[in-house]
Structures are given as C-alpha cells and as structure tokens.
Amino acid sequence: METKKKLTHTFYQNLGKLFYAIAASDNKVRKAEFDKLKQLVKSQWLDMDPIVDDFGTDAAYEIEIVFDWLNTQNTLDVDACFDDFVAYKNEQPHLFTTEGRALILKTAHAIADAFSGINKSELIILAKLDIELKK
C-alpha cells in the first residue's frame, strides 16, 4: 500500500517561485502565462493534497499567490527563484513523487508555451528543471 506524501505550504510556495522563474526567464511575465498558471492550479494542483490554510483555502493557491507577489516585485532575481526551488527540492526529496514531478514539468511547459510558444530562455530553464527533477 502506497502512502500519500503530505505536501506543505512551503512546497507550494516554492512551486510559485519556480513557475515565476519559468515565466520571467525572458524578462517579461505576460498575462497569458499567469492565466495559464491559474487554470492549471484549479484543474490539476487542487487535487494534489487536502492541506488548507488558516482560512480554509486550499494551500495549492499559494502557488498563485507567490507567483503574483514575485511578479509585482520587479527587483527579484529569476535565477535566485529557481535556485530556491532546487534547494528546497534537495532538502525535501520525499515530497517529489513521480506524479508530482510530472505535474511540475507539465505546468512549467504550459506556462512557457502560453505566450507565442517556448522561446530560447524558457527552453534553457525548462531543460535545467528537467535535469533537476531527474536527480
């Protein structure tokens, strides 16, 4: 019997950083990218874990909240956001199941593809993500 790993608020916050890094890798976050993220949070991420915040809201919405907050802070470093995600993944590898890694890649690719297809800078960060998730 497989036990489901309980995800944490920090897990979702780090996903917000990662998905922001994907969208901002070309130095511009477009509305279509954020809209795609919101759509995928609702259709895919809400079912990952039953964890909720103090107000009864599904913790997966923290992905959107962190993404949006980072987007309004025009001084944040995309590389730092990606590196924060990788550091968290390395500290908590048990949270990154096969299903979870697949959904992370699916979401990252969908965000990158949401506006005029995947460009060179997005392709580079997607390749780095793919390598990290295979470790």
Side-chain angles (χ1 to χ4, degrees):
M1 177 165 64
E2 182 179 334
T3 58
K4 187 171 183 178
K5 310 258 188 283
K6 183 173 181 183
L7 303 180
T8 67
H9 292 281
T10 308
F11 175 81
Y12 292 116
Q13 291 164 358
N14 277 283
L15 285 176
K17 289 180 184 180
L18 170 67
F19 297 143
Y20 170 78
I22 300 293
S25 64
D26 58 359
N27 298 317
K28 178 120 176 104
V29 176
R30 289 163 179 88
K31 183 180 182 313
E33 293 167 322
F34 189 42
D35 289 346
K36 178 55 79 172
L37 173 66
K38 290 190 288 188
Q39 174 197 8
L40 288 169
V41 166
K42 286 182 181 83
S43 67
Q44 304 286 313
W45 286 99
L46 294 180
D47 294 333
M48 285 293 290
D49 193 275
I51 191 170
V52 295
D53 65 16
D54 294 337
F55 303 103
T57 303
D58 195 296
Y61 282 116
E62 289 187 41
I63 298 170
E64 290 179 28
I65 292 166
V66 170
F67 184 105
D68 190 40
W69 183 81
L70 289 169
N71 193 35
T72 61
Q73 309 294 310
N74 293 325
T75 59
L76 292 176
D77 184 356
V78 169
D79 291 329
C81 289
F82 184 83
D83 292 345
D84 285 352
F85 169 79
V86 170
Y88 180 77
K89 180 197 73 77
N90 291 336
E91 291 169 6
Q92 303 290 334
H94 62 283
L95 295 177
F96 292 84
T97 63
T98 301
E99 175 187 302
R101 288 190 309 267
L103 186 53
I104 290 168
L105 283 172
K106 176 183 176 181
T107 304
H109 279 271
I111 291 167
D113 195 45
F115 183 83
S116 298
I118 299 173
N119 62 40
K120 183 179 177 182
S121 55
E122 291 167 336
L123 187 59
I124 291 168
I125 199 166
L126 288 170
K128 286 173 47 178
L129 175 61
D130 187 51
I131 290 167
E132 284 300 329
L133 291 175
K134 287 180 179 174
K135 288 182 180 177

